[in-house]
Amino acid sequence: MPNVICTWGAGEHSGEVLARGGDLEAHSILQRTGFVPVVRLQKTYHRLPVGLDAAEETRLAIRAVTRLRAVSYHVGADEAFDTETREPHYLPLGSQVAHLA
């Protein structure tokens, strides 16, 4: 699986929690966790919405890391977001229905 990197205050976007890398499934997990996709000419990444307090940013970033690792992504994360906790992985509702059919 592709790598996903979660960082805080990276480069030109200082002060934001960012996630870079991954494939379509990783992008879906990030968006369902609350990250907003940002598409630029040369790159695509995800960031948390503006206006969240630091505690909420940390909580959402940790949740994204646990969800990504639950489906075997290699996630490089800042120490503040790194955790050994794993959330159970459930398929999206459409996939669950398709699996039953």
Coordinates of all heavy atoms in Angstrom, one line a residue:
M1 N 0.8 -1.2 0.0 CA 0.0 0.0 0.0 C 0.9 1.2 0.0 O 2.0 1.2 0.6 CB -0.9 0.0 1.2 CG -1.9 -1.1 1.3 SD -3.5 -0.3 1.5 CE -4.5 -1.6 0.9
P2 N 0.4 2.3 -0.6 CA 1.2 3.5 -0.7 C 1.3 4.2 0.7 O 0.5 3.9 1.6 CB 0.4 4.5 -1.6 CG -0.5 3.6 -2.3 CD -0.8 2.4 -1.4
N3 N 2.4 4.9 0.9 CA 2.6 5.6 2.1 C 1.7 6.8 2.3 O 1.3 7.4 1.3 CB 4.1 6.1 2.2 CG 5.1 5.0 2.4 OD1 4.7 3.9 2.8 ND2 6.3 5.3 2.0
V4 N 1.3 7.1 3.5 CA 0.6 8.4 3.8 C 1.3 9.1 4.9 O 1.7 8.5 5.9 CB -0.9 8.0 4.2 CG1 -1.6 9.3 4.6 CG2 -1.6 7.2 3.2
I5 N 1.6 10.3 4.7 CA 2.3 11.1 5.7 C 1.4 12.2 6.3 O 0.8 13.0 5.6 CB 3.5 11.9 5.0 CG1 4.3 10.9 4.1 CG2 4.3 12.6 6.0 CD1 5.0 9.8 4.9
C6 N 1.3 12.2 7.6 CA 0.5 13.2 8.4 C 1.5 14.1 9.1 O 2.3 13.6 9.9 CB -0.4 12.6 9.4 SG -1.8 11.7 8.6
T7 N 1.5 15.4 8.8 CA 2.4 16.3 9.4 C 1.7 17.6 9.9 O 0.6 17.9 9.5 CB 3.5 16.8 8.5 OG1 2.9 17.4 7.3 CG2 4.3 15.6 8.0
W8 N 2.3 18.3 10.9 CA 1.8 19.5 11.4 C 2.7 20.6 11.0 O 3.9 20.5 11.2 CB 1.6 19.5 12.9 CG 1.0 20.7 13.4 CD1 -0.3 21.1 13.5 CD2 1.8 21.8 13.9 NE1 -0.4 22.3 14.1 CE2 0.9 22.8 14.3 CE3 3.1 22.1 14.1 CZ2 1.2 24.0 14.9 CZ3 3.5 23.3 14.6 CH2 2.6 24.3 15.0
G9 N 2.2 21.7 10.5 CA 3.0 22.9 10.2 C 4.1 22.7 9.2 O 5.2 23.1 9.4
A10 N 3.7 22.0 8.1 CA 4.7 21.7 7.1 C 4.9 22.8 6.1 O 3.9 23.3 5.4 CB 4.3 20.4 6.3
G11 N 6.1 23.3 5.9 CA 6.5 24.2 4.8 C 5.6 25.5 4.7 O 5.4 26.1 5.7
E12 N 5.2 25.7 3.5 CA 4.4 26.9 3.2 C 3.0 27.0 3.9 O 2.4 28.0 4.0 CB 4.2 27.1 1.7 CG 3.3 25.9 1.1 CD 3.4 25.8 -0.4 OE1 4.3 25.2 -0.8 OE2 2.5 26.4 -1.0
H13 N 2.6 25.8 4.4 CA 1.2 25.8 5.0 C 1.4 25.7 6.5 O 0.6 25.1 7.2 CB 0.5 24.5 4.5 CG 0.4 24.5 3.0 ND1 -0.4 25.3 2.3 CD2 1.1 23.7 2.1 CE1 -0.3 25.0 1.0 NE2 0.6 24.1 0.9
S14 N 2.4 26.4 7.1 CA 2.7 26.3 8.5 C 1.5 26.5 9.3 O 0.7 27.4 9.1 CB 3.8 27.4 8.8 OG 4.2 27.2 10.1
G15 N 1.3 25.7 10.3 CA 0.2 25.8 11.3 C -1.0 24.9 10.9 O -1.9 24.9 11.6
E16 N -0.9 24.2 9.8 CA -2.0 23.3 9.4 C -1.6 21.9 9.6 O -0.4 21.5 9.5 CB -2.3 23.5 7.9 CG -2.9 24.8 7.6 CD -3.3 24.9 6.1 OE1 -2.5 24.5 5.2 OE2 -4.4 25.4 5.8
V17 N -2.6 21.0 9.8 CA -2.3 19.6 9.8 C -2.6 19.1 8.4 O -3.7 19.3 7.8 CB -3.3 18.8 10.8 CG1 -3.1 17.3 10.7 CG2 -3.0 19.3 12.2
L18 N -1.6 18.4 7.8 CA -1.6 18.0 6.4 C -1.4 16.5 6.3 O -0.7 15.9 7.1 CB -0.6 18.7 5.6 CG -0.5 20.2 5.6 CD1 0.7 20.7 4.8 CD2 -1.8 20.8 5.0
A19 N -2.0 15.9 5.3 CA -1.8 14.5 5.0 C -1.5 14.4 3.5 O -2.2 15.0 2.6 CB -3.0 13.6 5.3
R20 N -0.4 13.7 3.1 CA 0.0 13.6 1.7 C 0.2 12.2 1.4 O 0.6 11.3 2.2 CB 1.4 14.3 1.5 CG 1.4 15.8 1.7 CD 2.7 16.4 1.4 NE 2.7 17.8 1.5 CZ 3.1 18.4 2.6 NH1 3.5 17.8 3.7 NH2 3.1 19.8 2.7
G21 N 0.0 11.9 0.1 CA 0.2 10.5 -0.4 C -1.0 9.6 -0.3 O -2.1 10.1 0.1
G22 N -0.8 8.4 -0.7 CA -1.9 7.4 -0.6 C -2.6 7.3 -1.9 O -2.4 8.1 -2.9
D23 N -3.6 6.4 -1.9 CA -4.4 6.1 -3.1 C -5.8 6.5 -2.9 O -6.1 7.2 -1.9 CB -4.3 4.6 -3.5 CG -4.7 3.7 -2.4 OD1 -5.2 4.2 -1.4 OD2 -4.4 2.5 -2.5
L24 N -6.7 6.1 -3.7 CA -8.1 6.5 -3.6 C -8.7 6.1 -2.3 O -9.5 6.8 -1.7 CB -8.9 6.0 -4.8 CG -8.6 6.7 -6.1 CD1 -9.4 6.0 -7.2 CD2 -8.9 8.2 -6.1
E25 N -8.4 4.9 -1.8 CA -9.0 4.4 -0.5 C -8.4 5.3 0.6 O -9.2 5.7 1.5 CB -8.6 3.0 -0.3 CG -9.2 2.5 1.0 CD -8.9 1.0 1.3 OE1 -8.1 0.4 0.7 OE2 -9.6 0.5 2.3
A26 N -7.2 5.6 0.6 CA -6.6 6.5 1.6 C -7.3 7.9 1.6 O -7.6 8.4 2.6 CB -5.1 6.7 1.5
H27 N -7.5 8.4 0.4 CA -8.2 9.7 0.3 C -9.6 9.6 0.8 O -10.0 10.5 1.5 CB -8.2 10.1 -1.2 CG -6.9 10.4 -1.8 ND1 -6.5 11.7 -2.1 CD2 -5.8 9.6 -2.0 CE1 -5.2 11.6 -2.6 NE2 -4.8 10.4 -2.6
S28 N -10.3 8.5 0.6 CA -11.6 8.3 1.1 C -11.6 8.3 2.6 O -12.5 8.9 3.3 CB -12.2 7.1 0.5 OG -13.5 6.8 1.1
I29 N -10.7 7.6 3.2 CA -10.6 7.5 4.7 C -10.3 8.8 5.3 O -10.9 9.2 6.3 CB -9.5 6.5 5.1 CG1 -9.9 5.0 4.7 CG2 -9.1 6.6 6.5 CD1 -8.8 4.0 4.8
L30 N -9.4 9.6 4.7 CA -9.1 10.9 5.2 C -10.3 11.8 5.1 O -10.6 12.5 6.1 CB -7.9 11.5 4.4 CG -6.6 10.9 4.7 CD1 -5.6 11.4 3.6 CD2 -6.1 11.3 6.0
Q31 N -11.0 11.8 4.0 CA -12.2 12.6 3.9 C -13.3 12.2 4.9 O -14.0 13.1 5.5 CB -12.7 12.6 2.4 CG -11.8 13.3 1.5 CD -12.2 13.2 0.1 OE1 -13.4 13.1 -0.3 NE2 -11.2 13.3 -0.8
R32 N -13.5 10.9 5.1 CA -14.5 10.5 6.1 C -14.1 10.8 7.5 O -14.9 10.8 8.4 CB -14.8 9.0 5.9 CG -15.6 8.7 4.7 CD -16.0 7.3 4.5 NE -14.8 6.6 3.9 CZ -14.4 5.4 4.3 NH1 -14.9 4.7 5.2 NH2 -13.3 4.9 3.7
T33 N -12.8 11.1 7.7 CA -12.3 11.4 9.0 C -12.4 12.9 9.3 O -12.2 13.4 10.4 CB -10.9 10.9 9.2 OG1 -10.8 9.6 8.9 CG2 -10.4 11.2 10.6
G34 N -12.7 13.7 8.2 CA -12.8 15.2 8.4 C -11.8 16.0 7.7 O -11.9 17.2 7.7
F35 N -10.9 15.4 6.9 CA -9.9 16.1 6.2 C -10.6 16.7 4.9 O -11.5 16.1 4.3 CB -8.7 15.3 5.8 CG -7.7 15.1 6.9 CD1 -8.0 14.3 8.0 CD2 -6.5 15.7 6.9 CE1 -7.1 14.1 9.0 CE2 -5.6 15.6 7.9 CZ -5.9 14.8 9.0
V36 N -10.1 17.8 4.4 CA -10.6 18.4 3.2 C -9.5 18.3 2.1 O -8.4 18.6 2.3 CB -10.8 20.0 3.5 CG1 -11.2 20.7 2.2 CG2 -11.8 20.2 4.6
P37 N -10.0 17.8 0.9 CA -9.0 17.6 -0.2 C -8.6 19.0 -0.8 O -9.4 19.9 -0.9 CB -9.7 16.8 -1.2 CG -11.2 17.0 -0.9 CD -11.3 17.3 0.5
V38 N -7.3 19.1 -1.1 CA -6.8 20.3 -1.7 C -6.1 19.9 -3.0 O -5.2 19.1 -2.9 CB -5.8 21.1 -0.8 CG1 -5.2 22.3 -1.5 CG2 -6.4 21.5 0.5
V39 N -6.6 20.3 -4.1 CA -6.0 19.9 -5.4 C -5.3 21.1 -6.0 O -5.9 22.2 -6.3 CB -7.1 19.4 -6.4 CG1 -6.5 19.0 -7.7 CG2 -7.8 18.2 -5.7
R40 N -4.0 21.0 -6.2 CA -3.2 22.0 -6.9 C -2.7 21.5 -8.2 O -2.8 20.3 -8.5 CB -2.0 22.4 -6.0 CG -2.3 22.8 -4.6 CD -2.7 24.3 -4.6 NE -2.8 24.7 -3.2 CZ -3.7 25.5 -2.8 NH1 -4.5 26.1 -3.6 NH2 -3.8 25.9 -1.5
L41 N -2.1 22.4 -9.0 CA -1.7 22.0 -10.3 C -0.6 20.8 -10.2 O -0.7 19.9 -11.0 CB -1.0 23.2 -11.0 CG -0.6 23.0 -12.5 CD1 -1.8 22.6 -13.3 CD2 0.0 24.3 -13.0
Q42 N 0.3 20.9 -9.3 CA 1.4 19.9 -9.2 C 1.2 18.9 -8.2 O 1.9 17.9 -8.1 CB 2.7 20.7 -9.0 CG 3.1 21.6 -10.1 CD 3.4 20.9 -11.4 OE1 3.9 19.8 -11.4 NE2 3.2 21.6 -12.5
K43 N 0.2 19.1 -7.2 CA 0.1 18.1 -6.1 C -1.3 18.1 -5.6 O -2.1 19.1 -5.7 CB 1.1 18.5 -5.0 CG 0.9 19.9 -4.5 CD 2.0 20.3 -3.5 CE 1.9 21.8 -3.1 NZ 2.9 22.2 -2.3
T44 N -1.6 17.1 -4.9 CA -2.9 16.9 -4.2 C -2.6 16.5 -2.7 O -1.7 15.6 -2.5 CB -3.8 15.8 -4.8 OG1 -4.0 16.2 -6.2 CG2 -5.1 15.6 -4.1
Y45 N -3.2 17.1 -1.8 CA -3.1 16.7 -0.4 C -4.4 17.0 0.4 O -5.3 17.4 -0.2 CB -1.9 17.4 0.3 CG -2.0 19.0 0.3 CD1 -2.6 19.6 1.3 CD2 -1.6 19.7 -0.8 CE1 -2.7 21.0 1.3 CE2 -1.7 21.1 -0.8 CZ -2.2 21.7 0.3 OH -2.3 23.1 0.2
H46 N -4.4 16.6 1.6 CA -5.6 16.9 2.5 C -5.1 17.7 3.7 O -4.0 17.6 4.1 CB -6.2 15.5 3.0 CG -6.8 14.8 1.9 ND1 -6.1 14.1 0.9 CD2 -8.1 14.6 1.6 CE1 -7.0 13.5 0.1 NE2 -8.2 13.8 0.5
R47 N -6.1 18.5 4.2 CA -5.8 19.3 5.3 C -7.1 19.3 6.2 O -8.2 19.0 5.7 CB -5.5 20.8 5.0 CG -6.6 21.5 4.3 CD -6.3 23.0 4.2 NE -7.3 23.7 3.5 CZ -8.5 24.0 4.0 NH1 -8.8 23.7 5.2 NH2 -9.4 24.7 3.3
L48 N -6.9 19.6 7.5 CA -8.1 19.8 8.3 C -8.7 21.1 8.1 O -8.1 22.1 7.7 CB -7.6 19.6 9.8 CG -7.3 18.2 10.2 CD1 -6.8 18.2 11.6 CD2 -8.5 17.3 10.1
P49 N -10.0 21.2 8.3 CA -10.7 22.5 8.1 C -10.2 23.6 9.0 O -9.6 23.3 10.1 CB -12.2 22.2 8.6 CG -12.3 20.7 8.5 CD -10.9 20.1 8.8
V50 N -10.3 24.8 8.6 CA -9.8 26.0 9.3 C -10.8 26.2 10.5 O -12.0 26.0 10.4 CB -9.8 27.2 8.4 CG1 -9.5 28.5 9.1 CG2 -8.9 27.0 7.2
G51 N -10.3 26.7 11.6 CA -11.1 27.1 12.7 C -11.2 26.0 13.8 O -11.9 26.3 14.8
L52 N -10.6 24.9 13.7 CA -10.6 23.9 14.7 C -9.6 24.3 15.8 O -8.5 24.8 15.5 CB -10.3 22.5 14.2 CG -11.2 21.9 13.1 CD1 -10.6 20.6 12.6 CD2 -12.6 21.7 13.6
D53 N -9.9 23.9 17.0 CA -8.9 24.2 18.1 C -7.9 23.1 18.0 O -8.0 22.0 17.4 CB -9.6 24.3 19.5 CG -10.2 23.0 19.9 OD1 -10.0 22.0 19.4 OD2 -11.0 23.1 20.9
A54 N -6.8 23.3 18.7 CA -5.6 22.3 18.7 C -6.0 20.9 19.1 O -5.6 20.0 18.5 CB -4.5 22.9 19.5
A55 N -6.8 20.8 20.2 CA -7.2 19.5 20.7 C -8.0 18.8 19.6 O -7.8 17.6 19.4 CB -8.0 19.7 22.0
E56 N -8.9 19.4 18.9 CA -9.7 18.8 17.9 C -8.9 18.4 16.7 O -9.1 17.3 16.1 CB -10.9 19.7 17.5 CG -11.8 19.1 16.5 CD -12.7 17.9 17.0 OE1 -12.6 17.6 18.2 OE2 -13.4 17.4 16.2
E57 N -7.9 19.2 16.3 CA -7.0 18.9 15.2 C -6.2 17.6 15.6 O -6.1 16.7 14.7 CB -6.0 20.0 15.0 CG -6.6 21.2 14.2 CD -5.6 22.3 13.9 OE1 -4.5 22.3 14.5 OE2 -5.9 23.1 13.1
T58 N -5.7 17.6 16.8 CA -4.9 16.4 17.2 C -5.8 15.2 17.2 O -5.4 14.1 16.8 CB -4.3 16.6 18.6 OG1 -3.5 17.8 18.5 CG2 -3.5 15.4 19.1
R59 N -7.1 15.3 17.7 CA -8.0 14.1 17.8 C -8.3 13.6 16.4 O -8.2 12.4 16.2 CB -9.3 14.5 18.5 CG -10.2 13.4 18.7 CD -11.6 13.8 19.3 NE -12.4 14.5 18.3 CZ -13.0 13.9 17.3 NH1 -13.0 12.6 17.2 NH2 -13.8 14.5 16.4
L60 N -8.6 14.5 15.5 CA -8.9 14.0 14.1 C -7.7 13.4 13.4 O -7.8 12.5 12.7 CB -9.5 15.2 13.3 CG -10.9 15.7 13.7 CD1 -11.3 16.9 12.9 CD2 -11.9 14.5 13.4
A61 N -6.5 14.0 13.6 CA -5.3 13.5 13.0 C -5.0 12.1 13.5 O -4.6 11.2 12.8 CB -4.1 14.4 13.2
I62 N -5.1 11.9 14.9 CA -4.9 10.6 15.4 C -5.9 9.6 14.9 O -5.5 8.4 14.6 CB -4.9 10.7 17.0 CG1 -3.7 11.4 17.5 CG2 -5.0 9.3 17.6 CD1 -3.7 11.7 19.0
R63 N -7.1 10.0 14.8 CA -8.1 9.1 14.2 C -7.8 8.7 12.8 O -8.0 7.6 12.4 CB -9.5 9.8 14.3 CG -10.6 8.8 14.0 CD -11.9 9.3 14.7 NE -12.8 8.1 14.7 CZ -14.1 8.3 14.7 NH1 -14.6 9.5 14.7 NH2 -14.9 7.2 14.7
A64 N -7.3 9.7 12.0 CA -7.0 9.3 10.6 C -5.8 8.3 10.6 O -5.9 7.4 9.8 CB -6.6 10.6 9.9
V65 N -4.8 8.5 11.4 CA -3.7 7.6 11.5 C -4.2 6.2 11.9 O -3.8 5.2 11.3 CB -2.6 8.1 12.5 CG1 -1.6 7.1 12.8 CG2 -2.0 9.4 11.9
T66 N -5.0 6.1 12.9 CA -5.5 4.8 13.3 C -6.3 4.1 12.2 O -6.2 2.9 12.0 CB -6.3 4.8 14.6 OG1 -7.5 5.6 14.4 CG2 -5.5 5.4 15.8
R67 N -7.2 4.9 11.5 CA -8.0 4.3 10.5 C -7.1 3.8 9.3 O -7.4 2.8 8.7 CB -9.0 5.3 10.0 CG -10.1 5.5 10.9 CD -11.1 6.5 10.4 NE -12.3 6.6 11.3 CZ -13.4 7.3 11.0 NH1 -13.4 8.1 9.9 NH2 -14.4 7.2 11.8
L68 N -6.1 4.6 8.9 CA -5.3 4.2 7.8 C -4.4 3.0 8.2 O -4.3 2.1 7.4 CB -4.3 5.4 7.4 CG -5.1 6.6 6.7 CD1 -4.2 7.8 6.8 CD2 -5.4 6.2 5.3
R69 N -3.9 2.9 9.4 CA -3.1 1.8 9.8 C -4.0 0.5 9.9 O -3.5 -0.6 9.7 CB -2.4 2.1 11.1 CG -1.2 3.0 10.8 CD -0.4 3.3 12.1 NE 0.7 4.1 11.8 CZ 1.4 4.8 12.7 NH1 1.0 4.7 14.0 NH2 2.4 5.5 12.4
A70 N -5.3 0.7 10.2 CA -6.2 -0.5 10.4 C -6.3 -1.2 9.1 O -6.6 -2.4 9.1 CB -7.5 0.0 10.9
V71 N -6.1 -0.5 7.9 CA -6.2 -1.2 6.6 C -4.8 -1.3 6.0 O -4.7 -1.4 4.8 CB -7.2 -0.5 5.7 CG1 -8.6 -0.7 6.2 CG2 -6.9 1.0 5.5
S72 N -3.8 -1.4 6.8 CA -2.4 -1.7 6.4 C -1.7 -0.6 5.7 O -0.7 -1.0 4.9 CB -2.4 -3.0 5.7 OG -2.9 -4.0 6.5
Y73 N -2.0 0.6 5.8 CA -1.2 1.7 5.2 C 0.0 1.9 6.1 O -0.1 1.9 7.3 CB -2.0 3.0 5.0 CG -2.9 3.0 3.8 CD1 -4.3 2.6 4.0 CD2 -2.5 3.3 2.6 CE1 -5.1 2.6 2.9 CE2 -3.3 3.3 1.5 CZ -4.6 3.0 1.6 OH -5.5 3.0 0.6
H74 N 1.1 2.2 5.5 CA 2.3 2.7 6.2 C 2.1 4.2 6.4 O 2.1 4.9 5.4 CB 3.6 2.4 5.5 CG 4.8 3.0 6.2 ND1 5.3 2.4 7.4 CD2 5.5 4.0 5.9 CE1 6.3 3.2 7.7 NE2 6.4 4.2 6.9
V75 N 1.9 4.6 7.6 CA 1.7 6.0 7.9 C 2.9 6.6 8.7 O 3.2 6.1 9.8 CB 0.4 6.2 8.7 CG1 0.1 7.7 9.0 CG2 -0.8 5.6 8.0
G76 N 3.5 7.6 8.1 CA 4.5 8.4 8.8 C 3.8 9.6 9.5 O 3.2 10.3 8.7
A77 N 3.9 9.7 10.8 CA 3.2 10.8 11.4 C 4.1 11.5 12.4 O 5.0 10.9 13.0 CB 1.9 10.3 12.1
D78 N 3.8 12.8 12.6 CA 4.5 13.5 13.7 C 4.2 12.8 15.0 O 3.2 12.1 15.2 CB 4.0 14.9 13.8 CG 4.5 15.8 12.7 OD1 5.3 15.3 11.8 OD2 4.1 17.0 12.6
E79 N 5.1 13.0 16.0 CA 4.9 12.3 17.3 C 3.6 12.6 17.9 O 3.0 11.7 18.6 CB 6.0 12.7 18.2 CG 7.4 12.1 17.9 CD 8.4 12.5 19.0 OE1 8.1 12.7 20.2 OE2 9.6 12.5 18.6
A80 N 3.0 13.8 17.8 CA 1.8 14.1 18.4 C 0.6 13.3 17.9 O -0.4 13.1 18.5 CB 1.5 15.6 18.1
F81 N 0.7 12.7 16.6 CA -0.3 11.9 16.0 C -0.1 10.5 16.0 O -0.9 9.7 15.6 CB -0.6 12.4 14.6 CG -0.7 13.9 14.4 CD1 -0.1 14.5 13.4 CD2 -1.4 14.7 15.3 CE1 -0.2 15.9 13.2 CE2 -1.5 16.0 15.2 CZ -0.9 16.6 14.1
D82 N 1.2 10.1 16.4 CA 1.6 8.6 16.3 C 0.9 7.9 17.5 O 1.0 8.3 18.6 CB 3.1 8.5 16.3 CG 3.6 7.3 15.7 OD1 2.7 6.5 15.1 OD2 4.8 7.0 15.8
T83 N 0.3 6.8 17.1 CA -0.3 5.9 18.2 C -0.3 4.5 17.7 O -0.3 4.2 16.5 CB -1.8 6.4 18.4 OG1 -2.4 5.5 19.4 CG2 -2.6 6.3 17.2
E84 N -0.3 3.6 18.6 CA -0.4 2.1 18.3 C -1.9 1.7 18.3 O -2.2 0.5 18.1 CB 0.4 1.3 19.3 CG 1.9 1.6 19.2 CD 2.4 1.3 17.8 OE1 2.0 0.2 17.2 OE2 3.2 2.0 17.3
T85 N -2.8 2.6 18.7 CA -4.2 2.2 18.7 C -4.7 1.9 17.3 O -4.3 2.6 16.3 CB -5.1 3.4 19.3 OG1 -4.5 3.7 20.6 CG2 -6.5 3.0 19.4
R86 N -5.6 0.9 17.1 CA -6.2 0.6 15.8 C -7.7 0.6 16.0 O -8.3 0.0 16.9 CB -5.7 -0.8 15.4 CG -4.3 -0.9 15.2 CD -3.8 -0.1 14.0 NE -2.3 -0.3 13.8 CZ -1.4 0.5 14.4 NH1 -1.7 1.4 15.2 NH2 -0.1 0.3 14.1
E87 N -8.4 1.2 15.0 CA -9.8 1.2 15.0 C -10.2 0.0 14.1 O -9.6 -0.4 13.2 CB -10.4 2.5 14.3 CG -10.4 3.7 15.2 CD -11.2 4.8 14.6 OE1 -12.0 4.6 13.7 OE2 -11.1 5.9 15.2
P88 N -11.4 -0.6 14.4 CA -11.9 -1.6 13.6 C -12.2 -1.0 12.2 O -12.6 0.1 12.1 CB -13.2 -2.1 14.2 CG -13.5 -1.1 15.2 CD -12.3 -0.3 15.5
H89 N -12.0 -1.8 11.1 CA -12.2 -1.4 9.8 C -13.5 -2.0 9.3 O -13.7 -3.2 9.3 CB -11.1 -1.8 8.9 CG -11.4 -1.4 7.4 ND1 -11.5 -0.1 7.0 CD2 -11.5 -2.2 6.3 CE1 -11.7 -0.1 5.7 NE2 -11.8 -1.4 5.3
Y90 N -14.5 -1.1 8.9 CA -15.7 -1.5 8.3 C -15.8 -1.0 6.9 O -15.4 0.1 6.6 CB -16.9 -1.0 9.1 CG -16.9 -1.4 10.5 CD1 -16.6 -0.5 11.5 CD2 -17.3 -2.7 10.9 CE1 -16.5 -0.8 12.8 CE2 -17.2 -3.0 12.2 CZ -16.9 -2.1 13.2 OH -16.9 -2.5 14.5
L91 N -16.2 -1.9 6.0 CA -16.4 -1.5 4.6 C -17.5 -0.4 4.5 O -18.4 -0.4 5.3 CB -16.8 -2.7 3.7 CG -15.8 -3.8 3.6 CD1 -16.4 -5.0 2.8 CD2 -14.6 -3.3 2.8
P92 N -17.4 0.5 3.5 CA -18.5 1.5 3.3 C -19.8 0.7 3.0 O -19.8 -0.4 2.6 CB -18.0 2.3 2.1 CG -16.6 2.0 2.0 CD -16.3 0.7 2.6
L93 N -20.9 1.4 3.3 CA -22.2 0.7 3.2 C -22.5 0.1 1.9 O -22.9 -1.0 1.8 CB -23.3 1.7 3.6 CG -24.7 1.2 3.6 CD1 -24.9 0.1 4.6 CD2 -25.7 2.3 3.9
G94 N -22.1 0.8 0.8 CA -22.3 0.2 -0.5 C -21.5 -1.1 -0.7 O -22.0 -2.0 -1.3
S95 N -20.3 -1.1 -0.2 CA -19.5 -2.3 -0.4 C -20.0 -3.5 0.5 O -20.0 -4.6 0.1 CB -18.1 -2.0 0.1 OG -17.5 -1.1 -0.8
Q96 N -20.6 -3.1 1.7 CA -21.2 -4.2 2.5 C -22.4 -4.8 1.8 O -22.6 -6.0 1.8 CB -21.7 -3.6 3.8 CG -20.5 -3.2 4.7 CD -21.0 -2.5 6.0 OE1 -22.2 -2.8 6.5 NE2 -20.2 -1.7 6.7
V97 N -23.2 -4.0 1.2 CA -24.4 -4.5 0.4 C -24.0 -5.3 -0.8 O -24.5 -6.4 -1.0 CB -25.3 -3.3 0.0 CG1 -26.4 -3.8 -1.0 CG2 -25.9 -2.6 1.2
A98 N -23.0 -4.9 -1.5 CA -22.5 -5.6 -2.6 C -21.9 -6.9 -2.2 O -22.1 -8.0 -2.9 CB -21.4 -4.8 -3.4
H99 N -21.2 -7.0 -1.1 CA -20.6 -8.2 -0.6 C -21.7 -9.2 -0.2 O -21.5 -10.4 -0.4 CB -19.7 -7.9 0.7 CG -19.0 -9.1 1.2 ND1 -18.1 -9.8 0.5 CD2 -19.1 -9.6 2.5 CE1 -17.7 -10.8 1.3 NE2 -18.3 -10.7 2.5
L100 N -22.8 -8.7 0.3 CA -23.9 -9.6 0.7 C -24.7 -10.2 -0.5 O -25.2 -11.3 -0.5 CB -24.9 -8.9 1.6 CG -24.4 -8.5 3.0 CD1 -25.5 -7.7 3.7 CD2 -24.1 -9.8 3.8
A101 N -24.6 -9.4 -1.6 CA -25.4 -9.8 -2.8 C -24.7 -10.9 -3.6 O -24.1 -11.7 -3.7 CB -25.6 -8.6 -3.8

